[in-house]
């Protein structure tokens, strides 16, 4: 129940129709940071996680429906 509340709040904060894709890709990037720390001894950082997110989200955009591609690309460019 708490997780659902957090997802709803996150959806409202982002205000984008593709918030679930953002959530999934960000979760994947955090997971990969964790694995890099455990298996490779690489210290996780917010900047490397964000860089990985941008690369992965670019791949998501390639597979997105045509009506979302422009807004997704624009959102990603304006991320930072």
């Amino acid at each position: 129940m708490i997780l659902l509340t957090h997802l709803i709040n996150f959806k409202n904060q982002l205000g984008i129709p593709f918030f679930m894709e953002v959530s999934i890709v960000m979760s994947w990037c955090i997971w990969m940071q964790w694995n890099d720390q455990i298996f490779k001894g690489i210290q996780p950082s917010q900047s490397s996680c964000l860089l990985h997110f941008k690369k992965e989200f670019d791949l998501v955009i390639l597979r997105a429906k045509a009506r979302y591609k422009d807004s997704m690309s624009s959102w990603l460019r304006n991320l930072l």
Side-chain angles (χ1 to χ4, degrees):
M1 191 63 153
I2 292 174
L3 180 61
L4 180 60
T5 303
H6 287 298
L7 277 175
I8 291 169
N9 288 338
F10 186 57
K11 178 183 179 182
N12 293 336
Q13 285 177 346
L14 285 179
I16 53 177
F18 47 90
F19 91 97
M20 190 56 77
E21 287 81 357
V22 171
S23 300
I24 291 168
V25 173
M26 183 50 72
S27 297
W28 173 252
C29 292
I30 292 169
W31 178 262
M32 293 303 293
Q33 291 276 304
W34 181 255
N35 282 346
D36 283 348
Q37 181 181 18
I38 292 172
F39 298 113
K40 298 178 183 176
I42 299 171
Q43 190 66 25
S45 71
Q46 186 177 3
S47 60
S48 65
C49 189
L50 184 59
L51 181 64
H52 190 224
F53 174 83
K54 287 181 175 185
K55 289 178 183 177
E56 291 294 325
F57 202 74
D58 266 336
L59 297 175
V60 171
I61 292 171
L62 292 175
R63 297 184 305 269
K65 292 181 180 180
R67 68 177 183 245
Y68 293 123
K69 285 188 180 198
D70 289 338
S71 61
M72 292 171 94
S73 295
S74 176
W75 179 83
L76 186 61
R77 277 193 310 274
N78 296 322
L79 190 58
L80 265 186

